[in-house]
Amino acid sequence: MTFALFVEQIINGLQLGIILFLVAAGLTLIFGIMDLVNLAHGTLYMFGAFFAATMVSITGSIVWGMILAIPLMLLAGVLLEVTILRTLYTRNHLDQVLATFGLILFFNELFLIAWGPEGTGIALPPWLSGSTKLGMGIELPDYRIVILVSGLIVAAMLYFLVAKTKIGMLIRAGASNREMVGALGVNIKLLYTAVFGIGAVMAGFAGMIITPITQAEAGMGEGFLILAFVVIVIGGIGSIRGAFYAAIITGLIDTLGRSFIDVVLLLVVESVTAETAGPAISSMLIYILMAIVLALKPNGLFPPRGA
Amino acid sequence: MFKKLMLAGSAVAMMVAGTAHASDTVKVGIVLTLTTPAAIIGKQMKAGFEVAYDHLGGQIAGKKLELIFEDDTFKPNIGKQKTEKLVKRDKVDFLTGYIWSHVLGASAPVGFKAGKIVISSNAGHSIFAGKKCNKNFFNAAWENMQTPMAMGQLLNKKNVKSIYVLAPNYAAGKQMITGVEKTFKGKIVGKELTPMSHKDWSAELSKIKAAKPDGVFVFYPGAWGPAFFTQYKQAGLSGKIPLYNVFSIDGANLPRFQKAKMDHLVGMINTGHWSPDLDNAANKRFVADFRKKYRNEYPAHYAAQAYDSLMMIAAAVEQSGGDPKNVDAVRSAMEQAKFASVRGPFKFGKNHFPIQNFYSREVVKDKDGTWMLNKRETVLKNHAPAMSSECKL
Amino acid sequence: MLMGSLWTPRGIYNAVIIILCIIMPWLAPAIGQEFFTDVFTRTMIFAIAAISLNLIMGYGGMISFGHAVYIGIGGYTVGILSYHGIDNGWIQWPMAIGLCGVFALIFGAISLRTKGVYFIMITLAFAQMMYFLSVSIEKYGSDDGLNIDSQSQFGVPFFDLSDPLTIYYTAFLCMMLCVYITYRFVNSRFGMVIRGSMSNDERMRSIGYPTYGYKLTAFVIAGMMAGLSGILSANFEAFMSPDNLFWIASGDLIFMVVLGGMGTIFGPIGGTVLFLVISEILSNFTESWHLIFGPLLILVVLYMRGGMEGFFASLGRSQND
């Protein structure tokens, strides 16, 4: 294990963490404010991927395609909220889980029919497909840097929006005390739609930005959705700050676990056991983390005030 | 209300009529994955069966041939239920299809219990070639370890000294790695079994870069392939460390690779028991008609195996006197494998797995510029699965 | 009475389902659809798991999103023992149910410290852990699944679980036994505490009931019951795979309970029958049946509160008006 490899793995872990945060932030906001368990949040992630891939192939430009995809994600998110999800706010969590599970089934099938089982993808132009040397033998693909930086920018924009603007103030108020916001005479419906829209765009952005690497296929959101749920539960539901830390921790543990667990295991057991147990333990690692966190702190690491 | 009753009545009458005429038909139940992203393979195979159906003129030994397709949705339990349905409701004479080992594992016993002949058109779980071989089970594809064994042999020939191996962490993935380990004589410097949900190889690619092997061997079928190959290039590894694969590049995904302009894949080498350019009459006819039927794409080995499966059934029924219900006679005829396989020389071993050649194949552009696989050399000749001796047939 | 009054729409509905379960092995061949005997065997096996989930979810408000894990543990115990040549049912069954109890005790002890969505997610996390464990043990088939060559042997004459009728009625009796246990449970003082804690946990505690212990006991009973479903499934399907304990399988169980009517004695049975019959019919109709099934799920949630039980109960009420 070299130093360069270790640093690269840390950066890879951060990248996964950022993407996770983009999905988890919306999820935790929607949960914290509207009290909605939205399993279909992974669907919004899939929307981003497919919309972007389609717009890129129409415009022929990755930059324009991605820019044009964002209003589409917003539109799709808002439509979903107004038509179906809005009616679920007053329902119990069980109803929400089931109804949004129904949405997942529907949209996965719809996208499968529309784009075919082979799905679609975004090809990177030559200027984005190289890699950059950062010194000390560390070399990173350029597009990874784009993901990392753009992810951080979106996270920073969210922070600004929540911490410094009027709508942000309402969001913070809503997350800690839902009734109070209503009492202030704010148009609750509009606020909810706006929050959902923000969540949809962030999840869509994550799906879009990852597509040049992983390609887009129907059902791509679900594996990620479970991870995002793990993140918000560890972080404390409703807490954006918690989601951020938990996403970074989860990203790092998952990536570093995958890379180095066999090395660690070799110290205690023989190689055959390490080889078979390694992948098993590394895929269980974040669930173990979550179980430990919840066993010690049943409301997550950073429960929002008032919760 | 009365009308409804009439309708129901006539439906029952039709069902009764259907069973009455059953002896005039040969019914083949085909279990494939036709939904979920894995359907990319199922749709190819369905087309392969349909080409075979056309070539047979829709009949076997003068009897009407009926194909019944069922979707296993990539789940073993559903596969088993569909198989039960094919056996008990549709009363099929043969069961075939079966892309995945886990679906086959759950489903095949249903067929055996009902005394049906089960033919796997793809799934090549090792255990069915050895300990759990069955007199009524035939495999029209390969055993999992054979193709990577051919690759190991090819790497020896190419004088590759060290490789890094990667595969998804599931049974077939592990068997692929075991296969290449069996024949490869150099050093395996790293081994990664990545989680099945895994589509981001940043961590693994960093490790490969640090390990500096002579070559990288991967098994990433289906949706994993495009993502892995893209990232391999993005990590700056393509052109530096040659990438060898099994079952990751084929006719089913080449059109997509070409559309995505993944030029670094042209010239890539893999191994397999069949190639669209194999020079025999059956193959030429199959490939030409498949392209007419299926979006002008080249068939993948999946479709070729599907085609062979049905042709094998047809030949066995005809040669055994034309009665699909006479299972013993059909089985004996099928063991002879006297049919024109698209892979040329073809015979069954005692365990009912093919004994066949394995070739190296390269991604090339055909005369229209379409990407396809072309046969290069014969790596393993008349190769039988390693565990054949464990079979007590 | 067990079914409420029999001569109400709800009573008739439940009676019809139970009678169907009793006569299906004769009805199915009579209408030329022998295949339905298998469908119903499977349905009743799932119904046992749904009944057990209903016990904690419908009566105790504990929404377990990982309940399929006990089907997996129960089934794999039978499979693994039989893999090692131990096919004696007197060993297999108690061991499988016991193991489910132990795991439910561990998972429940940790999970029940949390509430609401945290509880949903942590039960999911435990199930996912076991899922990944089952995927990674190559000896027992990993994701290819484990073929089970011989059914549980009890050494009792004429009791052979590989015989379709024997397993059918074994499943039926097990299902009715679980219904009876639920009935006794719900109407006991113990059940009152659980139900009380669902509507107001703090009040139950303040009047002196240690609800944690009560809930944990219910959780363990439910786990063991679902384990029974796993045992039967392993014997009937002769196959276990990690898919049996994937989170989607747990989601299906939840839907079966909700569809049938949460917190009702017979609800989960009707829910399971309906769930499997709807999937069966839709999937015959088109490959893309999720396109219809998804919206159907949403409609049921939005407009059929109380599930089938609630629907028939409301029919009964409007008749009386």
Side-chain angles (χ1 to χ4, degrees), chain A residues 151-239:
Chain A
L152 280 173
I153 291 174
V154 174
M157 281 163 66
L158 180 72
Y159 172 76
F160 177 79
L161 183 81
V162 173
K164 309 281 183 203
T165 62
K166 183 162 178 270
I167 183 173
M169 190 197 74
L170 292 174
I171 289 174
R172 275 178 295 147
S176 50
N177 192 334
R178 211 170 300 128
E179 287 75 27
M180 195 185 77
V181 184
L184 287 175
V186 178
N187 185 340
I188 286 285
K189 268 193 176 170
L190 201 61
L191 178 71
Y192 283 5
T193 308
V195 169
F196 196 88
I198 293 170
V201 168
M202 289 186 63
F205 186 87
M208 167 176 89
I209 201 85
I210 203 80
T211 298
I213 295 186
T214 63
Q215 316 281 318
E217 61 174 32
M220 67 189 282
E222 274 58 77
F224 219 79
L225 169 83
I226 301 278
L227 270 184
F229 262 109
V230 170
V231 164
I232 70 165
V233 165
I234 291 176
I237 293 168
S239 162

Side-chain angles (χ1 to χ4, degrees), chain B residues 15 34-35 43 46 70-71 73-77 80-82 84-85 88-89 91 101-103 105-106 109 113 125 128 132 144 169-172 174-175 178 195-197, chain C residues 31-36 38 42 46 131-132 135-138 141-145 147-149 151 162 164 236-239 241 243-244 248 280 283-284 287-290:
Chain B
M15 266 163 19
L34 298 169
T35 52
K43 298 247 155 101
K46 190 170 182 219
E70 291 288 352
D71 176 21
T73 71
F74 201 20
K75 291 194 189 99
N77 296 334
K80 181 184 183 237
Q81 289 165 34
K82 299 290 183 183
E84 281 169 359
K85 188 170 19 172
K88 297 191 178 167
R89 177 185 289 173
K91 311 231 170 1
S101 292
H102 62 335
V103 177
K113 212 171 168 184
H125 198 315
F128 284 104
K132 287 212 172 159
N144 273 348
N169 186 18
Y170 69 115
K174 289 175 195 165
Q175 288 168 1
T178 314
M196 290 182 79
S197 59
Chain C
I31 57 168
Q33 305 281 336
E34 285 114 320
F35 168 68
F36 263 98
D38 287 343
R42 189 170 290 119
F46 270 115
Y131 167 77
F132 283 118
V135 167
S136 62
I137 304 178
E138 207 164 344
S142 65
D143 63 296
D144 274 352
N147 279 91
I148 300 162
D149 293 336
Q151 274 78 9
S162 66
F236 173 64
E237 310 280 5
F239 182 76
S241 89
D243 269 1
N244 290 84
I248 304 271
E280 178 63 37
S283 68
N284 280 337
E287 273 160 20
S288 312
W289 61 282
H290 278 165

